[in-house]
Amino acid sequence: MDQLSNHPLYKAHNIDSAMSSLWDFYKKRFLTLFIISFAMSLVVQYASTFINIQDLYTVTDPMVILEKMKPLIVPIVLVFIVNLLFNVILQYYIIFSPLDKETSFVEGIIKSLKYVIPYLVIIVLLAFAGSVAIALGLLLLVVGVIFSVLYILTLYLFILPVMMVEGINIGHTISRTVTLAHRKFWTNIGWVAVFLIIMIVLSLILSGIILLPFTGSFIKTIVNPGEASNIINTVNNPLFIILSALASAFTMPLIPLFSCILYFNGKAREDVSSMIIAPDTQDTRIRVEDLYAKPYSDDHPDNPENKV
């Protein structure tokens, strides 16, 4: 495998070069990225059809809510596992496919599976820390919540690249994630905010496009809220599932790509700062005795005591 510095995303970026590198990589490997993302989105969209929370809207009793939630546990867990698994596969492909030409795509999938369990453990820990951070952010109202979300999202984006490049060690991954995220902290937060806005805009545009064939159903629901069941029928429609998966497949690869850019940017800057020029081995410091005349031996011709 080539050195990490040969990766096309490895460089000290500014915001312009980061977005340019992301777009270049996305275009060059679009087909593979799209296929992986489409497969993931299709499974997630289909599994989501089994998650029907409409009955929960009219229930106020916590015990009844828990009872109605039991049938939803399996599809919710399935959606979570599929997301987790495909995120690992997609991230592994983005990091190692440019460096390891000899490993096939299937072999890459098999190799990526070793990261799933450690990644799951860290995600659970991050979810707990994130809930605490957001709860504290509520004390500062909207600004605090937004900052907490951006901070947790920044940490999340560093996790997989750190683990895959620097080794499967949960403790090391957590410490390195925090270190890299906090180095150039406000730059990282700012980039994540810009990226999040771009993703929201793209998602809204694509969502609007895929909803065009179903505009009538949504208008009927707005005009007559009693026909809310039409929305459920639309979401479960096979055409809607396929179109939603296609839309997600366009944007999904951007997340692991941006994760790599964040990591490689921090790593490249760290590597540059660690390149210290070796000092000259000759000691050129001025010593106290250099400020005074050196004594001469008795038989030295320049000894002033021998001169009359």
Side-chain angles (χ1 to χ4, degrees):
M1 185 180 295
D2 296 332
Q3 293 182 352
L4 183 66
S5 57
N6 292 330
H7 197 284
L9 300 178
Y10 177 86
K11 63 189 291 187
H13 291 280
N14 55 41
I15 187 65
D16 292 332
S17 68
M19 294 305 169
S20 177
S21 296
L22 184 149
W23 177 242
D24 290 341
F25 193 100
Y26 181 80
K27 287 190 301 180
K28 185 177 181 180
R29 301 176 182 271
F30 170 77
L31 185 59
T32 305
L33 294 173
F34 181 83
I35 291 173
I36 298 173
S37 301
F38 179 69
M40 169 184 173
S41 300
L42 201 58
V43 175
V44 170
Q45 290 291 335
Y46 178 73
S48 299
T49 61
F50 295 96
I51 304 175
N52 184 7
I53 60 174
Q54 183 181 5
D55 296 338
L56 301 180
Y57 295 151
T58 57
V59 179
T60 57
D61 188 345
M63 299 304 296
V64 176
I65 293 176
L66 290 176
E67 189 66 27
K68 289 182 175 293
M69 283 288 294
K70 288 182 180 180
L72 305 180
I73 294 177
V74 174
I76 290 174
V77 171
L78 178 61
V79 170
F80 176 75
I81 292 176
V82 170
N83 269 293
L84 188 78
L85 181 61
F86 275 90
N87 281 336
V88 171
I89 293 172
L90 201 57
Q91 191 76 74
Y92 187 92
Y93 172 79
I94 291 172
I95 292 177
F96 292 105
S97 62
L99 303 177
D100 191 356
K101 307 293 185 180
E102 299 179 356
T103 300
S104 67
F105 179 71
V106 176
E107 290 174 336
I109 292 177
I110 295 173
K111 289 182 178 180
S112 68
L113 297 180
K114 64 183 179 181
Y115 299 100
V116 172
I117 300 301
Y119 182 50
L120 174 62
V121 173
I122 295 177
I123 289 300
V124 171
L125 295 175
L126 183 64
F128 175 76
S131 61
V132 174
I134 292 174
L136 293 175
L138 288 173
L139 298 177
L140 300 176
L141 301 179
V142 177
V143 176
V145 173
I146 293 175
F147 177 80
S148 299
V149 170
L150 287 175
Y151 177 64
I152 296 302
L153 182 58
T154 302
L155 292 176
Y156 167 77
L157 291 171
F158 274 101
I159 292 171
L160 266 182
V162 170
M163 181 183 296
M164 290 184 174
V165 174
E166 302 188 14
I168 305 176
N169 183 302
I170 294 177
H172 174 76
T173 299
I174 293 174
S175 63
R176 282 288 290 164
T177 293
V178 173
T179 299
L180 289 173
H182 282 241
R183 186 176 291 125
K184 298 289 183 179
F185 177 77
W186 291 112
T187 298
N188 290 330
I189 291 289
W191 287 15
V192 171
V194 171
F195 177 74
L196 185 59
I197 292 172
I198 292 173
M199 290 294 292
I200 291 173
V201 172
L202 288 176
S203 297
L204 288 175
I205 293 173
L206 291 173
S207 297
I209 293 174
I210 66 173
L211 287 176
L212 287 177
F214 309 98
T215 304
S217 299
F218 282 92
I219 291 178
K220 288 181 180 179
T221 303
I222 294 174
V223 174
N224 185 8
E227 297 186 7
S229 59
N230 290 334
I231 296 181
I232 303 299
N233 295 332
T234 300
V235 172
N236 294 336
N237 188 307
L239 178 60
F240 182 84
I241 293 173
I242 294 173
L243 291 177
S244 298
L246 286 172
S248 298
F250 280 102
T251 58
M252 194 168 297
L254 299 177
I255 299 174
L257 270 171
F258 186 69
S259 295
C260 284
I261 286 176
L262 277 179
Y263 171 74
F264 284 133
N265 173 64
K267 188 72 170 65
R269 293 182 182 278
E270 185 180 65
D271 292 343
V272 170
S273 64
S274 65
M275 293 180 183
I276 303 173
I277 300 176
D280 190 356
T281 54
Q282 184 179 0
D283 190 0
T284 58
R285 292 176 298 177
I286 299 177
R287 296 171 295 181
V288 175
E289 54 266 27
D290 293 335
L291 302 177
Y292 300 92
K294 297 181 180 180
Y296 294 98
S297 62
D298 293 338
D299 57 349
H300 196 281
D302 292 331
N303 191 334
E305 295 182 359
N306 295 334
K307 296 180 180 180
V308 179

